[in-house]
Amino acid sequence: MDSGEEILSVEHIYKVFGPRPDEAMNMLEAGKNKDDVFQETGQVVGVFDASFSVKKGEIFVIMGLSGSGKSTMVRLFNRLIEPTSGKIFLNGSEITGLTDKELLGVRRRDMSMVFQSFALMPHLTVLDNAAFGLAVSDLGEQERNRRAREALEQVGLKGHEYSFPHQLSGGMQQRVGLARALTNDPSILLMDEAFSALDPLIRTEMQDELIRLQAEQQRTIIFISHDLDEAIRIGHRIAIMEGGRVVQVGTPQEILNNPASEYVEAFFKGVDSSKVLRAGDVARFESEVVVREPSSDEASLPAPYAFVTDGDHRFVGLIDSTVNGEGASPRTLAPDQLRTITFDTPLHEVLDIAASVPYPLPVLTQDGVLHGTLSKDAILKSLSHH
């Protein structure tokens, strides 16, 4: 995932449903809230002053309770509905002012949408359903079918091209819907509650499929959900909506550790933090137990264990002064003699490892730099705070 490049951004977006949106906007600008607007005018404020951006190559989840504005938001992105006020940018270019013809090009080229309902044509084969979105393009039938076959293979449906929808399970039907969205190789995949109609086992299977597709293709996915477990499982970042407002945007770890409001805190209450937090979120870097290689004075270690790094702060070993009896020289263990964990290891996977070794676990970044250490006590304290 590109950590910096924005692919989609919204600036001060409002959406008012009703025949008098200008009147509602004037009230909002005067400090009224959406309930005041509805009571006095009957206009419904669907989205209220939303500003955020989506990074290229991430799964960005927008979630909230029913009526929070999340499905309205995703329809504003591809202008299935028009914003009342504000701007939307795609790759730095504003798309809120596009003509119908220009907008059609954006939908064909840059954005595809997968809905909760599979919306498959019962009289068409799986192949024809997957190719259906290309039927309005200028592509010939042979090229349409080639792309459709490729997309079906991507979602694990190779061999089912000539089946009909009624012959498929619910999960397989949703895979066809996903393949149809992939046939035009969109920059952004929009998914509105796409898995909520599936039973739990198939839903988990489809989440795994989505995570795999994103990892393989680095595709940007904007996923609408009301299910917190789903959001945490698939989302690189989550935007939480309440009453039309975006109240917080962050990684699951950031939101769990620093909820922006009581609403967000209540939303995350009951979440198994060991499945949200990563080793790097809990690890602590204590400089007094870190020594540079080569160490000139191993005998005066301030703790039973010390962690050795090179000049680039990469982890090169652990000094264990608990062995060989009093007065004996400490021994140095190389990384291949130790258990180490990466920054991104989920905390629930760390528990058993931490319990099996006597020393605090070295937590390393992807390039081997010592980020910090993680003891059993630190893990238990962290979990007790959430």
Side-chain angles (χ1 to χ4, degrees):
M1 184 182 73
D2 189 313
S3 61
E5 188 178 352
E6 294 179 358
I7 189 169
L8 185 79
S9 61
V10 299
E11 293 182 1
H12 303 293
I13 286 289
Y14 290 80
K15 177 58 186 176
V16 177
F17 295 97
R20 307 199 310 273
D22 291 342
E23 184 179 346
M25 287 299 298
N26 289 336
M27 290 180 65
L28 293 172
E29 288 171 8
K32 299 283 189 178
N33 61 35
K34 63 176 289 184
D35 293 332
D36 297 331
V37 170
F38 179 72
Q39 288 174 7
E40 294 183 34
T41 70
Q43 312 295 291
V44 175
V45 180
V47 173
F48 187 107
D49 195 19
S51 296
F52 60 90
S53 61
V54 177
K55 297 174 185 176
K56 193 171 186 178
E58 74 174 334
I59 300 180
F60 187 87
V61 180
I62 302 175
M63 67 171 307
L65 301 176
S66 179
S68 62
K70 57 188 185 298
S71 290
T72 299
M73 182 70 78
V74 77
R75 284 164 172 76
L76 289 166
F77 293 152
N78 60 1
R79 285 179 51 198
L80 287 177
I81 56 177
E82 294 292 333
T84 305
S85 178
K87 296 179 179 180
I88 302 173
F89 296 87
L90 177 64
N91 289 318
S93 299
E94 187 179 351
I95 61 172
T96 28
L98 296 182
T99 64
D100 288 347
K101 184 177 180 181
E102 291 169 331
L103 183 60
L104 188 60
V106 167
R107 288 175 181 161
R108 286 179 179 173
R109 181 181 61 252
D110 295 305
M111 295 188 194
S112 286
M113 196 154 183
V114 182
F115 296 95
Q116 177 180 342
S117 59
F118 311 139
L120 302 181
M121 306 293 179
H123 61 288
L124 297 181
T125 64
V126 164
L127 181 66
D128 289 337
N129 266 290
F132 188 78
L134 297 175
V136 294
S137 68
D138 297 328
L139 294 174
E141 182 180 0
Q142 188 172 352
E143 176 63 13
R144 293 201 305 269
N145 286 344
R146 184 193 70 77
R147 289 199 190 182
R149 287 178 189 277
E150 191 175 276
L152 287 167
E153 186 170 355
Q154 287 176 19
V155 300
L157 285 180
K158 184 177 181 179
H160 294 276
E161 293 86 350
Y162 298 106
S163 299
F164 286 88
H166 74 271
Q167 297 173 308
L168 306 180
S169 67
M172 293 172 75
Q173 289 182 40
Q174 189 60 297
R175 286 172 187 264
V176 179
L178 184 55
R180 181 174 55 199
L182 292 172
T183 52
N184 69 341
D185 194 25
S187 304
I188 302 174
L189 196 60
L190 305 174
M191 305 186 72
D192 187 12
E193 301 270 12
F195 304 151
S196 61
L198 303 174
D199 70 50
L201 284 177
I202 296 176
R203 187 173 188 170
T204 300
E205 183 182 292
M206 288 302 296
Q207 291 167 0
D208 290 340
E209 188 74 16
L210 194 67
I211 292 168
R212 181 189 64 79
L213 278 173
Q214 190 280 332
E216 288 180 359
Q217 303 174 6
Q218 291 298 294
R219 196 178 299 277
T220 306
I221 299 168
I222 300 176
F223 195 100
I224 307 302
S225 180
H226 65 268
D227 185 315
L228 185 58
D229 289 335
E230 180 171 69
I232 289 170
R233 188 162 190 265
I234 69 173
H236 294 115
R237 290 191 302 149
I238 301 172
I240 298 179
M241 295 191 69
E242 177 192 15
R245 293 178 181 270
V246 176
V247 293
Q248 187 166 5
V249 178
T251 65
Q253 297 83 13
E254 288 168 347
I255 297 174
L256 182 67
N257 285 326
N258 297 292
S261 65
E262 290 182 1
Y263 173 82
V264 176
E265 190 172 5
F267 215 98
F268 270 67
K269 192 173 184 180
V271 168
D272 182 352
S273 57
S274 73
K275 294 184 178 179
V276 179
L277 296 174
R278 302 164 300 175
D281 298 316
V282 181
R284 295 291 176 263
F285 189 88
E286 300 174 271
S287 58
E288 63 270 20
V289 296
V290 177
V291 296
R292 290 291 181 90
E293 183 190 35
S295 174
S296 60
D297 191 12
E298 290 183 351
S300 60
L301 295 174
Y305 302 98
F307 301 86
V308 187
T309 61
D310 64 14
D312 295 319
H313 307 288
R314 289 188 176 86
F315 179 66
V316 295
L318 177 143
I319 302 172
D320 180 1
S321 63
T322 66
V323 295
N324 299 332
E326 188 174 347
S329 297
R331 66 172 180 173
T332 299
L333 302 175
D336 59 2
Q337 297 173 288
L338 299 164
R339 294 299 299 269
T340 62
I341 51 176
T342 61
F343 184 101
D344 289 323
T345 305
L347 203 56
H348 70 94
E349 293 180 13
V350 178
L351 289 168
D352 287 342
I353 300 173
S356 68
V357 296
Y359 49 84
L361 286 166
V363 179
L364 311 181
T365 63
Q366 285 187 336
D367 53 1
V369 169
L370 181 65
H371 172 77
T373 63
L374 197 50
S375 66
K376 293 184 282 289
D377 287 346
I379 296 172
L380 293 173
K381 284 179 183 176
S382 175
L383 296 178
S384 68
H385 290 161
H386 293 285

